[in-house]
Amino acid sequence: MNKNIKNMLAELKHEFHEIYEVPYNGLYVIISDSYDKTYEDENDNFDEREIDEVDIVYQGDEITIYPNLFGKCEIHAGSLKYESIDVLTKAVAIVCRNLKNIW
């Protein structure tokens, strides 16, 4: 049921294998639905078609992606460290490439 999310997370783990989910300074992706449920690998009750936002966090910097049903998304970011921008933008590209397959 969550084939695209699983593909997205596998691609992120492959691309960022040295920093993905490393405590404190690593790259984290938090996927939430419109019911405030968060995607967990072992959670079969999550429906990827209900994704409301995807938070990408790296070294304390965060970019949030809000997909919509019109084949577009909104991307929100505050002030980012220059050192984080390369990693975050690559992660955004991977996330968006997989999100577009859901709708």
Side-chain angles (χ1 to χ4, degrees):
M1 174 151 62
N2 296 308
K3 177 183 77 165
N4 294 296
I5 292 177
K6 290 179 182 182
N7 290 342
M8 173 178 44
L9 295 178
E11 191 173 346
L12 287 166
K13 287 176 187 176
H14 176 74
E15 179 70 27
F16 301 106
H17 62 276
E18 293 180 9
I19 60 171
Y20 189 77
E21 293 185 337
V22 173
Y24 306 112
N25 288 320
L27 178 72
Y28 291 90
V29 176
I30 304 160
I31 305 167
S32 305
D33 68 11
S34 53
Y35 304 105
D36 291 328
K37 289 191 295 186
T38 302
Y39 176 80
E40 303 288 337
D41 290 334
E42 63 277 351
N43 184 356
D44 291 331
N45 296 325
F46 193 92
D47 184 352
E48 66 184 15
R49 294 170 296 179
E50 299 291 332
I51 291 176
D52 190 47
E53 69 180 67
V54 179
D55 295 306
I56 304 170
V57 182
Y58 178 62
Q59 294 188 343
D61 290 333
E62 179 177 354
I63 292 179
T64 303
I65 301 169
Y66 299 97
N68 65 36
L69 300 175
F70 305 109
K72 297 181 179 183
C73 65
E74 289 184 36
I75 299 175
H76 294 216
S79 179
L80 304 172
K81 293 187 287 291
Y82 290 113
E83 300 82 21
S84 300
I85 291 174
D86 184 46
V87 170
L88 287 168
T89 54
K90 285 180 184 175
V92 166
I94 291 169
V95 169
C96 290
R97 182 171 45 248
N98 287 278
L99 285 177
K100 74 176 184 179
N101 294 328
I102 296 171
W103 295 282

